[in-house]
Amino acid sequence: MNALDWLLPGRSRSAKLMEGIQTATASAASQAEMSRFSRRESALWQMFCSGAGEVVCQLLVKNQDRRLDWGVRSRRRKVDGYRLMTIYWWMLLYHLVLYRHQGFDGHDPQDDLPLFREAAQAFLQRELDPLPIEHGPSPWTERWDRQFALESAMGIYDNVHGLLGLHVDLTKRINRVSLFTTATEQEFGKAIKQLEVGGQ
């Protein structure tokens, strides 16, 4: 099933969203083989894809870590296939930002980023091809891959709210984005350490 074909009748909104996120994650992960990644690159890519899916799930479906709450679950009814794919793709790119700053096992992330950027774009193009859309989503800013995590999270926060038609409360945004950045950086750091211990 294409990641954009997730909106099927007969199930709850949460179940539909979960299926959409899982399908998007699996589709993104399959790009590793299409891009002929090495073992190390594939392990990193799988980590990025699953991490992005987990964050989107917490934002839109069920919040297990209160720090990953942007107050957008009330607008789940507005999340169609295109919006879900856009949010997932942004979170995938956000994981590349985290990788750029945290690195992996003595490797320079700058050497890997062009490959991963290309894979992320190829994944998005595959998923959007069936849609009669002239222009797909853009990153939250043109120079997204030069940002720090906090800057990226702020930009994504604003864009997700705009995508779902929500007003951005500037006071809430500061606290929510700060908590989100801390939580995602911590989880990413743990995942990187697990890969390093595993000798990927």
Side-chain angles (χ1 to χ4, degrees), residues 8-119:
L8 302 174
R11 291 192 302 277
S12 71
R13 191 69 181 177
S14 293
K16 292 174 186 176
L17 278 171
M18 277 299 301
E19 181 172 352
I21 294 166
Q22 290 167 356
T23 303
T25 301
S27 177
S30 71
Q31 189 63 43
E33 184 175 351
M34 297 178 194
S35 297
R36 298 182 178 181
F37 285 167
S38 68
R39 184 180 174 211
R40 180 185 66 85
E41 291 161 351
S42 293
L44 283 166
W45 181 253
Q46 301 294 328
M47 187 188 78
F48 301 153
C49 295
S50 61
E54 176 63 26
V55 171
V56 175
C57 179
Q58 294 223 38
L59 291 177
L60 296 178
V61 182
K62 187 174 182 181
N63 194 233
Q64 296 176 331
D65 186 334
R66 293 183 181 179
R67 297 174 298 177
L68 302 182
D69 183 356
W70 283 359
V72 298
R73 289 196 300 280
S74 64
R75 284 300 184 93
R76 286 187 297 192
R77 66 185 182 280
K78 294 202 69 172
V79 182
D80 57 12
Y82 181 80
R83 289 183 176 89
L84 179 63
M85 184 56 58
T86 300
I87 295 170
Y88 178 85
W89 183 59
W90 285 339
M91 289 304 169
L92 183 58
L93 297 184
Y94 175 72
H95 277 71
L96 300 189
V97 173
L98 293 174
Y99 176 60
R100 176 175 174 260
H101 292 286
Q102 294 203 27
F104 174 74
D105 194 24
H107 294 272
D108 186 351
Q110 295 290 6
D111 295 337
D112 294 328
L113 281 177
L115 186 68
F116 290 139
R117 279 197 304 261
E118 184 177 330

Side-chain angles (χ1 to χ4, degrees), residues 171-185:
T171 303
K172 289 181 179 179
R173 180 181 65 165
I174 294 171
N175 187 52
R176 285 172 173 171
V177 170
S178 178
L179 291 172
F180 174 90
T181 305
T182 299
T184 52
E185 286 181 327

